Amino acid sequence: MASTVAATAAPPMAARTRRLLEGPVAPTLLGLAAPNVLVMVLQAVVTTLDAVFVGWLGSAALAGVSLVYPLVMLMQTMSAGGMGGGVSSAVARALGAGRRAEAQALAVHAIVIALVMASLFTTSLLLGGPAVYRAIGGTGDALAAALTYSHVMFGGAVVFWLLNTLGSIVRGTGTMVLPAAVMSGSAVVYLALAPALVMGWGPFPRLGVAGTATANLSAFGLATLVLAVYLCSPWSAVRLSVRGIRFRRELFWEILRVGAPGSLNTILTNLTVVLMTGLVGPFGTAALAGYGMGARLEYIQIPLVFGMGSALVAMVGTNVGAGQIARAERIAWTGAGLAAGVTASIGVLAAAFPGVWLGLFTTDPQVYAAGATYLRIVGPTYGFFGLGLALYFASQGAGRLAWPLAAGFARLGIAAAGGWLGGYGLGWGLPGIFAAMAIALIVFGTTTAAAVRLGAWR
């Protein structure tokens, strides 16, 4: 029976791998990315509506969720794009080199890493969250909303980590449609639950800001179960099984050598937003809420690029595993060009018409003014952010993250130091802080692009 399953499972796996190694670059990349991009667009809609639902509760609730949101995004991006990228890259490289048994063992090691990381997030944010939110400007009703939202989201951290890790295993095999379909289904469940739980419609209790968090955990929990069942089935190219498993240090390292630097890069990205939130906080609750709504559009670029990036990780990783470096670089530049074009278009439109975005969340003129100032200054540089992010994902696939990491440090330093200098040292206020953010995005994108162009993978 086992030999029959192996025989029937092997040809589809081999066909997928050959397509990544031999198919025409642009059509293959777009074919892999299309399901992910579509579902990430849906996720962007969900993220937007999440803020819309909270906005029904007033500006204090918006400000409170804005305090927590960078840390929620840290958990999401670390589990999906940071450590998740390390998982996809390791699985893809093992399959590209013809080591299927190793790929299956890597899947189990990835689950162990996910459980450890989830416990760290839960413990640190439940205990240390209040101090963090006070430090970056949380007071009064905004702080109360932040704590309520935070306790629910990080109390269920294991759901986020397991979902994104299982999805990364599946994507590492070159299978993109299933994770996209599962995430689409979870988005539908979320959209059905969230407004009812926020406002207490029908038989549901009124949970306020905790409603969106509860809906997220419920929807993601169902999606996690679906992916787990698939990975334990004979239809999966990489079977998830603990039978006969022997934990090996070198397999943990194969994931962590890409996942740990990738996770550090997500920490730098989100720490930048946390520090910027701290710089904006002294300007008041309205400024904090306005910046939070503007920065949410910046954050939406991450899942949008991830739609292309997850395909880049699998395709670049498989080709690097097979020794096809030149082809891997062509793949990277194709994906980076597409990502930069999309994010640049979004940024320019947001800068030209800020009311289209901000009007979804608030009618408060002070909140609107702060958000519009951010979008007009930072929005036109989103293309550099998209360029750097796409090449970061491609570098994960290549197992070469030193330069993207250096670019992340540069972005953090320029945004934090420049933001303080512009906002307080020179007395330019919010425009000075936002100008530093824009310069930081330009440096992030150009540094990463220059490194890959000059042979960082060779």
PDB file of all heavy atoms in Angstrom, residues 146-170:
ATOM      1  N   ALA A 146      -6.582  48.930  23.185  1.00  0.00           N
ATOM      2  CA  ALA A 146      -5.383  48.203  22.768  1.00  0.00           C
ATOM      3  C   ALA A 146      -5.204  46.923  23.573  1.00  0.00           C
ATOM      4  O   ALA A 146      -4.907  45.856  23.025  1.00  0.00           O
ATOM      5  CB  ALA A 146      -4.151  49.097  22.913  1.00  0.00           C
ATOM      6  N   LEU A 147      -5.395  47.007  24.877  1.00  0.00           N
ATOM      7  CA  LEU A 147      -5.201  45.834  25.733  1.00  0.00           C
ATOM      8  C   LEU A 147      -6.249  44.757  25.449  1.00  0.00           C
ATOM      9  O   LEU A 147      -5.937  43.560  25.422  1.00  0.00           O
ATOM     10  CB  LEU A 147      -5.245  46.253  27.200  1.00  0.00           C
ATOM     11  CG  LEU A 147      -4.077  47.132  27.672  1.00  0.00           C
ATOM     12  CD1 LEU A 147      -4.296  47.591  29.108  1.00  0.00           C
ATOM     13  CD2 LEU A 147      -2.761  46.379  27.550  1.00  0.00           C
ATOM     14  N   THR A 148      -7.481  45.176  25.229  1.00  0.00           N
ATOM     15  CA  THR A 148      -8.536  44.203  24.922  1.00  0.00           C
ATOM     16  C   THR A 148      -8.225  43.457  23.624  1.00  0.00           C
ATOM     17  O   THR A 148      -8.303  42.223  23.559  1.00  0.00           O
ATOM     18  CB  THR A 148      -9.891  44.923  24.796  1.00  0.00           C
ATOM     19  OG1 THR A 148     -10.206  45.565  26.033  1.00  0.00           O
ATOM     20  CG2 THR A 148     -11.003  43.939  24.449  1.00  0.00           C
ATOM     21  N   TYR A 149      -7.886  44.197  22.595  1.00  0.00           N
ATOM     22  CA  TYR A 149      -7.575  43.607  21.296  1.00  0.00           C
ATOM     23  C   TYR A 149      -6.350  42.703  21.387  1.00  0.00           C
ATOM     24  O   TYR A 149      -6.316  41.590  20.854  1.00  0.00           O
ATOM     25  CB  TYR A 149      -7.344  44.742  20.298  1.00  0.00           C
ATOM     26  CG  TYR A 149      -7.143  44.325  18.861  1.00  0.00           C
ATOM     27  CD1 TYR A 149      -8.215  43.906  18.085  1.00  0.00           C
ATOM     28  CD2 TYR A 149      -5.881  44.386  18.271  1.00  0.00           C
ATOM     29  CE1 TYR A 149      -8.038  43.539  16.755  1.00  0.00           C
ATOM     30  CE2 TYR A 149      -5.695  44.027  16.946  1.00  0.00           C
ATOM     31  CZ  TYR A 149      -6.777  43.603  16.197  1.00  0.00           C
ATOM     32  OH  TYR A 149      -6.591  43.243  14.887  1.00  0.00           O
ATOM     33  N   SER A 150      -5.332  43.178  22.082  1.00  0.00           N
ATOM     34  CA  SER A 150      -4.066  42.451  22.196  1.00  0.00           C
ATOM     35  C   SER A 150      -4.231  41.116  22.903  1.00  0.00           C
ATOM     36  O   SER A 150      -3.666  40.098  22.483  1.00  0.00           O
ATOM     37  CB  SER A 150      -3.039  43.312  22.929  1.00  0.00           C
ATOM     38  OG  SER A 150      -1.829  42.622  23.115  1.00  0.00           O
ATOM     39  N   HIS A 151      -4.984  41.098  23.996  1.00  0.00           N
ATOM     40  CA  HIS A 151      -5.129  39.864  24.773  1.00  0.00           C
ATOM     41  C   HIS A 151      -5.756  38.748  23.930  1.00  0.00           C
ATOM     42  O   HIS A 151      -5.360  37.579  24.033  1.00  0.00           O
ATOM     43  CB  HIS A 151      -5.981  40.121  26.019  1.00  0.00           C
ATOM     44  CG  HIS A 151      -5.269  40.906  27.082  1.00  0.00           C
ATOM     45  ND1 HIS A 151      -3.903  40.974  27.153  1.00  0.00           N
ATOM     46  CD2 HIS A 151      -5.748  41.644  28.124  1.00  0.00           C
ATOM     47  CE1 HIS A 151      -3.550  41.724  28.184  1.00  0.00           C
ATOM     48  NE2 HIS A 151      -4.652  42.146  28.798  1.00  0.00           N
ATOM     49  N   VAL A 152      -6.736  39.099  23.104  1.00  0.00           N
ATOM     50  CA  VAL A 152      -7.385  38.068  22.284  1.00  0.00           C
ATOM     51  C   VAL A 152      -6.447  37.606  21.176  1.00  0.00           C
ATOM     52  O   VAL A 152      -6.254  36.398  20.962  1.00  0.00           O
ATOM     53  CB  VAL A 152      -8.704  38.594  21.689  1.00  0.00           C
ATOM     54  CG1 VAL A 152      -9.345  37.534  20.803  1.00  0.00           C
ATOM     55  CG2 VAL A 152      -9.663  38.999  22.796  1.00  0.00           C
ATOM     56  N   MET A 153      -5.837  38.554  20.458  1.00  0.00           N
ATOM     57  CA  MET A 153      -5.000  38.192  19.316  1.00  0.00           C
ATOM     58  C   MET A 153      -3.791  37.356  19.725  1.00  0.00           C
ATOM     59  O   MET A 153      -3.503  36.312  19.135  1.00  0.00           O
ATOM     60  CB  MET A 153      -4.530  39.448  18.583  1.00  0.00           C
ATOM     61  CG  MET A 153      -5.637  40.183  17.846  1.00  0.00           C
ATOM     62  SD  MET A 153      -6.368  39.238  16.468  1.00  0.00           S
ATOM     63  CE  MET A 153      -5.179  39.558  15.189  1.00  0.00           C
ATOM     64  N   PHE A 154      -3.086  37.789  20.756  1.00  0.00           N
ATOM     65  CA  PHE A 154      -1.864  37.083  21.126  1.00  0.00           C
ATOM     66  C   PHE A 154      -2.134  35.890  22.028  1.00  0.00           C
ATOM     67  O   PHE A 154      -1.295  34.984  22.112  1.00  0.00           O
ATOM     68  CB  PHE A 154      -0.872  38.060  21.754  1.00  0.00           C
ATOM     69  CG  PHE A 154      -0.380  39.084  20.765  1.00  0.00           C
ATOM     70  CD1 PHE A 154      -0.735  40.415  20.896  1.00  0.00           C
ATOM     71  CD2 PHE A 154       0.389  38.704  19.682  1.00  0.00           C
ATOM     72  CE1 PHE A 154      -0.311  41.358  19.978  1.00  0.00           C
ATOM     73  CE2 PHE A 154       0.813  39.634  18.746  1.00  0.00           C
ATOM     74  CZ  PHE A 154       0.464  40.964  18.899  1.00  0.00           C
ATOM     75  N   GLY A 155      -3.309  35.858  22.653  1.00  0.00           N
ATOM     76  CA  GLY A 155      -3.699  34.636  23.357  1.00  0.00           C
ATOM     77  C   GLY A 155      -3.883  33.479  22.392  1.00  0.00           C
ATOM     78  O   GLY A 155      -3.695  32.310  22.757  1.00  0.00           O
ATOM     79  N   GLY A 156      -4.222  33.784  21.145  1.00  0.00           N
ATOM     80  CA  GLY A 156      -4.397  32.755  20.119  1.00  0.00           C
ATOM     81  C   GLY A 156      -3.266  32.726  19.107  1.00  0.00           C
ATOM     82  O   GLY A 156      -3.463  32.306  17.964  1.00  0.00           O
ATOM     83  N   ALA A 157      -2.071  33.112  19.513  1.00  0.00           N
ATOM     84  CA  ALA A 157      -0.931  33.183  18.586  1.00  0.00           C
ATOM     85  C   ALA A 157      -0.651  31.851  17.896  1.00  0.00           C
ATOM     86  O   ALA A 157      -0.208  31.814  16.750  1.00  0.00           O
ATOM     87  CB  ALA A 157       0.317  33.663  19.330  1.00  0.00           C
ATOM     88  N   VAL A 158      -0.915  30.738  18.589  1.00  0.00           N
ATOM     89  CA  VAL A 158      -0.616  29.431  18.010  1.00  0.00           C
ATOM     90  C   VAL A 158      -1.396  29.195  16.712  1.00  0.00           C
ATOM     91  O   VAL A 158      -0.909  28.524  15.789  1.00  0.00           O
ATOM     92  CB  VAL A 158      -0.897  28.306  19.036  1.00  0.00           C
ATOM     93  CG1 VAL A 158      -2.393  28.200  19.342  1.00  0.00           C
ATOM     94  CG2 VAL A 158      -0.354  26.973  18.540  1.00  0.00           C
ATOM     95  N   VAL A 159      -2.591  29.768  16.611  1.00  0.00           N
ATOM     96  CA  VAL A 159      -3.397  29.613  15.395  1.00  0.00           C
ATOM     97  C   VAL A 159      -2.706  30.270  14.208  1.00  0.00           C
ATOM     98  O   VAL A 159      -2.595  29.684  13.117  1.00  0.00           O
ATOM     99  CB  VAL A 159      -4.805  30.205  15.601  1.00  0.00           C
ATOM    100  CG1 VAL A 159      -5.594  30.179  14.297  1.00  0.00           C
ATOM    101  CG2 VAL A 159      -5.549  29.438  16.677  1.00  0.00           C
ATOM    102  N   PHE A 160      -2.218  31.495  14.393  1.00  0.00           N
ATOM    103  CA  PHE A 160      -1.529  32.202  13.317  1.00  0.00           C
ATOM    104  C   PHE A 160      -0.270  31.457  12.888  1.00  0.00           C
ATOM    105  O   PHE A 160       0.005  31.308  11.690  1.00  0.00           O
ATOM    106  CB  PHE A 160      -1.154  33.615  13.768  1.00  0.00           C
ATOM    107  CG  PHE A 160      -2.328  34.526  13.985  1.00  0.00           C
ATOM    108  CD1 PHE A 160      -2.922  34.638  15.230  1.00  0.00           C
ATOM    109  CD2 PHE A 160      -2.847  35.274  12.937  1.00  0.00           C
ATOM    110  CE1 PHE A 160      -3.996  35.480  15.432  1.00  0.00           C
ATOM    111  CE2 PHE A 160      -3.929  36.115  13.131  1.00  0.00           C
ATOM    112  CZ  PHE A 160      -4.507  36.210  14.384  1.00  0.00           C
ATOM    113  N   TRP A 161       0.505  31.000  13.850  1.00  0.00           N
ATOM    114  CA  TRP A 161       1.772  30.336  13.532  1.00  0.00           C
ATOM    115  C   TRP A 161       1.552  29.004  12.822  1.00  0.00           C
ATOM    116  O   TRP A 161       2.246  28.688  11.857  1.00  0.00           O
ATOM    117  CB  TRP A 161       2.604  30.146  14.797  1.00  0.00           C
ATOM    118  CG  TRP A 161       3.435  31.355  15.084  1.00  0.00           C
ATOM    119  CD1 TRP A 161       3.125  32.399  15.888  1.00  0.00           C
ATOM    120  CD2 TRP A 161       4.711  31.657  14.506  1.00  0.00           C
ATOM    121  NE1 TRP A 161       4.118  33.340  15.853  1.00  0.00           N
ATOM    122  CE2 TRP A 161       5.114  32.909  15.027  1.00  0.00           C
ATOM    123  CE3 TRP A 161       5.554  30.998  13.621  1.00  0.00           C
ATOM    124  CZ2 TRP A 161       6.322  33.507  14.670  1.00  0.00           C
ATOM    125  CZ3 TRP A 161       6.752  31.586  13.261  1.00  0.00           C
ATOM    126  CH2 TRP A 161       7.135  32.828  13.787  1.00  0.00           C
ATOM    127  N   LEU A 162       0.596  28.221  13.283  1.00  0.00           N
ATOM    128  CA  LEU A 162       0.351  26.932  12.627  1.00  0.00           C
ATOM    129  C   LEU A 162      -0.204  27.123  11.218  1.00  0.00           C
ATOM    130  O   LEU A 162       0.207  26.443  10.272  1.00  0.00           O
ATOM    131  CB  LEU A 162      -0.602  26.084  13.461  1.00  0.00           C
ATOM    132  CG  LEU A 162      -0.008  25.437  14.715  1.00  0.00           C
ATOM    133  CD1 LEU A 162      -1.082  24.675  15.486  1.00  0.00           C
ATOM    134  CD2 LEU A 162       1.147  24.501  14.358  1.00  0.00           C
ATOM    135  N   LEU A 163      -1.142  28.044  11.054  1.00  0.00           N
ATOM    136  CA  LEU A 163      -1.721  28.272   9.730  1.00  0.00           C
ATOM    137  C   LEU A 163      -0.645  28.676   8.724  1.00  0.00           C
ATOM    138  O   LEU A 163      -0.543  28.113   7.631  1.00  0.00           O
ATOM    139  CB  LEU A 163      -2.805  29.350   9.800  1.00  0.00           C
ATOM    140  CG  LEU A 163      -3.375  29.785   8.440  1.00  0.00           C
ATOM    141  CD1 LEU A 163      -4.038  28.634   7.720  1.00  0.00           C
ATOM    142  CD2 LEU A 163      -4.342  30.953   8.615  1.00  0.00           C
ATOM    143  N   ASN A 164       0.162  29.652   9.077  1.00  0.00           N
ATOM    144  CA  ASN A 164       1.158  30.152   8.133  1.00  0.00           C
ATOM    145  C   ASN A 164       2.282  29.154   7.891  1.00  0.00           C
ATOM    146  O   ASN A 164       2.843  29.097   6.787  1.00  0.00           O
ATOM    147  CB  ASN A 164       1.707  31.495   8.620  1.00  0.00           C
ATOM    148  CG  ASN A 164       0.693  32.614   8.460  1.00  0.00           C
ATOM    149  OD1 ASN A 164      -0.058  32.655   7.494  1.00  0.00           O
ATOM    150  ND2 ASN A 164       0.638  33.512   9.422  1.00  0.00           N
ATOM    151  N   THR A 165       2.610  28.354   8.894  1.00  0.00           N
ATOM    152  CA  THR A 165       3.648  27.342   8.700  1.00  0.00           C
ATOM    153  C   THR A 165       3.153  26.226   7.784  1.00  0.00           C
ATOM    154  O   THR A 165       3.865  25.786   6.867  1.00  0.00           O
ATOM    155  CB  THR A 165       4.091  26.758  10.054  1.00  0.00           C
ATOM    156  OG1 THR A 165       4.647  27.812  10.854  1.00  0.00           O
ATOM    157  CG2 THR A 165       5.132  25.672   9.873  1.00  0.00           C
ATOM    158  N   LEU A 166       1.937  25.752   8.007  1.00  0.00           N
ATOM    159  CA  LEU A 166       1.385  24.717   7.129  1.00  0.00           C
ATOM    160  C   LEU A 166       1.250  25.230   5.704  1.00  0.00           C
ATOM    161  O   LEU A 166       1.544  24.522   4.737  1.00  0.00           O
ATOM    162  CB  LEU A 166       0.025  24.256   7.663  1.00  0.00           C
ATOM    163  CG  LEU A 166       0.029  23.542   9.017  1.00  0.00           C
ATOM    164  CD1 LEU A 166      -1.396  23.211   9.450  1.00  0.00           C
ATOM    165  CD2 LEU A 166       0.876  22.283   8.983  1.00  0.00           C
ATOM    166  N   GLY A 167       0.800  26.463   5.549  1.00  0.00           N
ATOM    167  CA  GLY A 167       0.702  27.044   4.218  1.00  0.00           C
ATOM    168  C   GLY A 167       2.063  27.157   3.546  1.00  0.00           C
ATOM    169  O   GLY A 167       2.191  26.944   2.338  1.00  0.00           O
ATOM    170  N   SER A 168       3.100  27.471   4.324  1.00  0.00           N
ATOM    171  CA  SER A 168       4.446  27.588   3.768  1.00  0.00           C
ATOM    172  C   SER A 168       4.975  26.235   3.305  1.00  0.00           C
ATOM    173  O   SER A 168       5.672  26.146   2.288  1.00  0.00           O
ATOM    174  CB  SER A 168       5.395  28.178   4.817  1.00  0.00           C
ATOM    175  OG  SER A 168       5.016  29.502   5.153  1.00  0.00           O
ATOM    176  N   ILE A 169       4.658  25.172   4.029  1.00  0.00           N
ATOM    177  CA  ILE A 169       5.067  23.831   3.606  1.00  0.00           C
ATOM    178  C   ILE A 169       4.437  23.500   2.257  1.00  0.00           C
ATOM    179  O   ILE A 169       5.113  23.034   1.330  1.00  0.00           O
ATOM    180  CB  ILE A 169       4.659  22.785   4.657  1.00  0.00           C
ATOM    181  CG1 ILE A 169       5.431  22.998   5.966  1.00  0.00           C
ATOM    182  CG2 ILE A 169       4.909  21.368   4.138  1.00  0.00           C
ATOM    183  CD1 ILE A 169       4.893  22.193   7.130  1.00  0.00           C
ATOM    184  N   VAL A 170       3.149  23.751   2.135  1.00  0.00           N
ATOM    185  CA  VAL A 170       2.440  23.444   0.891  1.00  0.00           C
ATOM    186  C   VAL A 170       2.998  24.265  -0.267  1.00  0.00           C
ATOM    187  O   VAL A 170       3.264  23.752  -1.360  1.00  0.00           O
ATOM    188  CB  VAL A 170       0.931  23.675   1.049  1.00  0.00           C
ATOM    189  CG1 VAL A 170       0.213  23.442  -0.283  1.00  0.00           C
ATOM    190  CG2 VAL A 170       0.354  22.754   2.114  1.00  0.00           C
TER     191      VAL A 170
END
